[in-house]
């Protein structure tokens, strides 16, 4: 069974904070509220029940995705190997990024207003390649700081430039 | 043991090349270039409104104004080489002093526009990572000065182990005494083949159509207005512009190896001589359009960081505009040692991947060559991309829902600059996972 999973199993995967669920859920609920508002507006304006169909379907889809959200968030993971960082993500579309520490150009730690509300931060690793996709959301600030410090230290030790 | 804290200010390194101005003819040429554009833009309307005399007067006034602006900007512009940096000062109102660390220079191009050639002037362009356009175009210098400066900059661009100990101890060639490095010509593209290769492009096929439709219209008694004719001519010219530009751009394409890097010379009206120092080549791409395959011709391009990706094909440095497989092998052996087209035998996706690429499956695949990661794709217009392991920036593994059902996955390899299709698609999942981790390991080990 192991042979057919995309992600390597012989590394220690770290998970993102479960608080990320509440953040994502809040965002989705806000979206549903906005859609409900639009639907109500349309109904009031056109006085036809068909007008509500669009927003209703969209809301239903969003709520359906909410049901898969916990599994989706559990799929986020990162592993610090000796020489590279692995980041995995995805349920339907699965992805794994491997970035050797020596290729790192800089590290971003960002926290948007909603993330700050939940006490979360996002760490993103940048290399000279624009396509590099190594972003880890939903980290607690101490863990984000630890990861950043470790990545920069390792990046300096193994710096190779381009 | 204590060290006395010294209060002497940090020593400013002595300039390798003291501050210089550009060539005195620069404002004239720049002004002329701008004037041509301005005159072209206003001429028709202006000519009709103003009449001959006043129009000439207006043009003269614009010309003088542009000349003054160019002169002022010329007087404010200067460059110098200090330590391992090229410093360029420019601007009168908002001054800018840009320092370019020469270790970061990815390629240097010496360009001689048509207008500058009679005066023996040239422009020097530096490509730097992170620049969103060609940074630091030094225009214009005399050809000799530009060549000498290029030699100096290239000598300084070599990453040396003692780079940290300061530039003062490294013997640095000065601008005057440096002998030009000896070049070994590797390959010249015959003009006949270049022209023929551009004639075998789809653009020309539309030419008969474009010509015959108005003729057909005329035959049927329709009356061909000026607008119809003009638009036809414009369309034809537009369609033919690309092959013609490619032809004139790659005219007398010559590739040579010099001690300071790979040198590419080309151009009919505007001659260019680009130097790519060793270790700046991120990847190479070899492709063969369908029609070229009749003759066994291929095209090879270099991928260099810092060259804009948006410009696409044009921005990639041509390594071989058109050539036989033997030519390509010769060129590739120099650009990416250890990579050979003849030894490229790719591992193809398994049979169950037919649903993603029913026919493409037969040609696509990857190979872990001795020094490079090689991928191939394209049934009609085949394409081989080779990335030296040490240039891999990151590796990504992707799997869509259908791929997951079929136990397949795709490996993407990212190089500096991006936009390069180095992809091993639809491989068995266990193999793809192994490949991704192996590539990351090799990326490190080959440094």
């Amino acid at each position: 069974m192991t042979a057919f999973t995309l992600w390597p199993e012989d590394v220690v995967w770290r998970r993102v904070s479960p608080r990320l669920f509440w953040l994502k859920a809040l965002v989705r609920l806000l979206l549903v509220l906005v859609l409900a508002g639009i639907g109500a507006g349309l109904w009031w304006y056109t006085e036809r029940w068909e007008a509500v169909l669009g927003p209703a379907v969209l809301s239903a889809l969003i709520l359906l995705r909410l049901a898969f959200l916990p599994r989706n968030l559990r799929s986020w993971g990162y592993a610090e190997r000796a020489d590279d960082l692995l980041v995995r993500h995805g349920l339907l579309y699965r992805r794994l990024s491997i970035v050797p520490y020596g290729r790192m150009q800089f590290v971003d730690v960002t926290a948007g207003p909603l993330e700050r509300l939940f006490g979360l931060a996002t760490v993103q690793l940048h290399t000279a390649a624009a396509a590099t996709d190594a972003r880890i959301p939903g980290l607690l600030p101490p863990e984000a700081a630890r990861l950043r410090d470790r990545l920069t230290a390792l990046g300096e030790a193994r710096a190779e430039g381009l | 043991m204590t060290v006395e804290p010294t209060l002497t200010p940090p020593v400013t390194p002595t300039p390798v090349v003291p501050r210089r101005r550009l060539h005195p003819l620069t404002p004239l040429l720049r002004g002329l270039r701008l004037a041509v554009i301005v005159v072209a833009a206003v001429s028709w309307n202006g000519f009709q409104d103003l009449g001959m005399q006043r129009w000439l007067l207006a043009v003269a006034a614009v010309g003088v104004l542009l000349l003054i602006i160019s002169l002022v900007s010329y007087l404010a512009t200067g460059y110098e080489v200090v330590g391992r940096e090229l410093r360029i000062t420019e601007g009168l109102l908002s001054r800018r002093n840009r320092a370019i660390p020469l270790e970061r220079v990815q390629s240097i191009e010496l360009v001689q526009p048509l207008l500058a050639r009679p005066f023996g002037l040239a422009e020097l362009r530096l490509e730097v990572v992170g620049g969103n356009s060609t940074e630091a175009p030094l225009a214009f210098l005399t050809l000799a000065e530009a060549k000498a400066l290029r030699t100096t900059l290239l000598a300084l661009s070599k990453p040396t182990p003692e780079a940290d100990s300061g530039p003062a101890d490294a013997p640095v060639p000065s601008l005057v005494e440096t002998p030009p490095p000896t070049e070994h010509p590797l390959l010249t593209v015959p003009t006949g083949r270049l022209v023929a290769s551009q004639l075998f492009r789809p653009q020309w096929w539309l030419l008969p159509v474009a010509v015959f439709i108005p003729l057909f219209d005329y035959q049927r008694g329709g009356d061909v207005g000026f607008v119809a004719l003009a638009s036809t001519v414009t369309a034809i010219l537009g369609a033919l512009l690309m092959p013609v530009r490619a032809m004139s751009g790659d005219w007398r394409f010559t590739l040579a190896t010099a001690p300071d890097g790979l040198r590419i010379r080309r151009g009919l009206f505007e001659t260019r001589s680009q130097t790519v120092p060793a270790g700046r080549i991120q990847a190479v791409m070899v492709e063969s359009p369908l029609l070229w395959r009749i003759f066994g011709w291929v095209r090879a391009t270099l991928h260099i960081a810092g060259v804009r990706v948006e410009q696409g094909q044009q921005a990639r440095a041509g390594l071989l505009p058109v050539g036989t497989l033997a030519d390509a092998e010769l060129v590739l052996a120099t650009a990416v040692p250890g990579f050979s087209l003849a030894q490229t035998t790719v591992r193809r996706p398994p049979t169950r991947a037919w649903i993603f690429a029913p026919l493409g499956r037969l040609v696509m695949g990857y190979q872990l060559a001795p020094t490079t990661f090689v991928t191939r794709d394209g049934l009609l217009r085949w394409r081989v991309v080779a990335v030296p392991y040490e240039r891999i920036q990151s590796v990504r593994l992707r799997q869509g829902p259908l791929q997951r059902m079929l136990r397949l996955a795709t490996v993407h390899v990212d190089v500096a600059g991006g936009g390069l299709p180095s992809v091993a698609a639809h491989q068995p999942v266990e193999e793809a996972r192994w490949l991704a981790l192996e590539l990351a390991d090799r990326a490190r080990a080959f440094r």
Side-chain angles (χ1 to χ4, degrees), chain B residues 304-328:
Chain B
I304 303 167
V307 175
R308 277 227 289 197
V309 185
E310 292 85 31
Q311 291 170 349
Q313 200 78 319
Q314 287 257 304
R316 286 205 189 108
L319 188 58
L320 180 68
V322 56
T324 61
L325 275 176
D327 293 341

Side-chain angles (χ1 to χ4, degrees), chain A residues 5 94 96 98 103 132 162, chain B residues 391-392 394-395 397 399 443:
Chain A
T5 58
R94 306 198 158 188
L96 170 75
I98 309 172
R103 300 296 199 276
T132 301
L162 285 181
Chain B
R391 301 287 159 218
I392 295 175
S394 66
V395 184
L397 196 55
Q399 189 182 48

Side-chain angles (χ1 to χ4, degrees), chain B residues 134-360:
Chain B
T134 299
E135 300 297 331
L138 284 172
F140 290 95
L141 311 168
T142 61
L143 192 57
E145 193 186 350
K147 279 184 176 166
L149 183 61
R150 178 177 66 181
T151 311
T152 310
L153 296 182
L154 284 170
L156 289 169
S157 76
K158 277 198 187 107
T160 47
E162 67 267 29
D164 297 325
S165 61
D169 3 334
V172 162
S174 87
L175 189 51
V176 211
E177 65 194 37
T178 324
T182 45
E183 287 180 24
H184 298 282
L186 208 62
L187 176 130
T188 305
V189 175
T191 306
R193 187 190 291 164
L194 179 72
V195 173
S197 74
Q198 288 305 320
L199 287 177
F200 275 86
R201 294 195 67 160
Q203 278 92 341
W204 297 93
W205 305 349
L206 297 174
L207 195 59
V209 181
V211 170
F212 277 111
I213 283 177
L215 279 180
F216 184 67
D217 221 31
Y218 182 68
Q219 281 267 295
R220 281 178 54 204
D223 123 83
V224 180
F226 174 74
V227 175
L229 210 64
S231 65
T232 307
V233 170
T234 315
I236 292 169
L237 286 181
L240 298 190
L241 200 63
M242 209 177 102
V244 168
R245 271 176 75 176
M247 234 186 272
S248 77
D250 287 330
W251 199 260
R252 286 171 59 85
F253 184 97
T254 311
L255 190 74
T257 49
D260 49 9
L262 210 59
R263 195 153 294 169
I264 300 159
R265 296 171 191 287
R266 61 204 178 89
L268 177 62
F269 304 113
E270 186 178 74
T271 57
R272 295 159 170 272
S273 143
Q274 188 180 24
T275 309
V276 185
R280 260 63 164 199
I281 297 169
Q282 305 288 335
V284 288
M285 182 160 90
V286 187
E287 51 189 343
S288 183
L290 186 61
L291 283 178
W292 287 17
R293 288 171 68 178
I294 304 167
F295 308 96
W297 287 340
V298 296
R299 167 174 43 224
T301 41
L302 285 176
H303 193 82
I304 303 167
V307 175
R308 277 227 289 197
V309 185
E310 292 85 31
Q311 291 170 349
Q313 200 78 319
Q314 287 257 304
R316 286 205 189 108
L319 188 58
L320 180 68
V322 56
T324 61
L325 275 176
D327 293 341
E329 292 283 14
L330 179 73
V331 162
L332 292 168
T334 316
V336 188
F339 169 59
S340 156
L341 279 173
Q343 283 163 22
T344 301
T345 46
V346 294
R347 271 187 75 88
R348 294 187 309 202
T351 323
R352 61 180 188 269
W354 68 270
I355 197 157
F356 294 106
L359 291 172

Side-chain angles (χ1 to χ4, degrees), chain B residues 55 67 90 237 346 357:
Chain B
W55 181 75
L67 203 62
E90 57 189 354
L237 286 181
V346 294

Side-chain angles (χ1 to χ4, degrees), chain B residues 71-154:
Chain B
L71 194 68
V72 167
S73 96
Y74 161 72
L75 288 173
T77 309
Y79 72 90
E80 60 185 333
V81 182
V82 180
R84 284 178 165 274
E85 283 179 2
L86 171 68
R87 291 186 187 167
I88 300 169
T89 316
E90 57 189 354
L92 183 74
L93 293 177
S94 68
R95 286 189 74 76
R96 190 174 72 165
N97 197 329
R98 172 168 278 177
I100 300 163
L102 292 171
E103 293 96 346
R104 304 287 163 82
V105 169
Q106 302 294 316
S107 89
I108 299 183
E109 198 170 25
L110 197 148
V111 186
Q112 269 198 294
L114 190 60
L115 212 58
R117 270 165 82 181
F119 302 97
L121 297 182
E123 185 179 342
L124 210 58
R125 293 180 186 167
L126 273 67
E127 301 285 357
V128 193
V129 176
N132 48 10
S133 60
T134 299
E135 300 297 331
L138 284 172
F140 290 95
L141 311 168
T142 61
L143 192 57
E145 193 186 350
K147 279 184 176 166
L149 183 61
R150 178 177 66 181
T151 311
T152 310
L153 296 182
L154 284 170

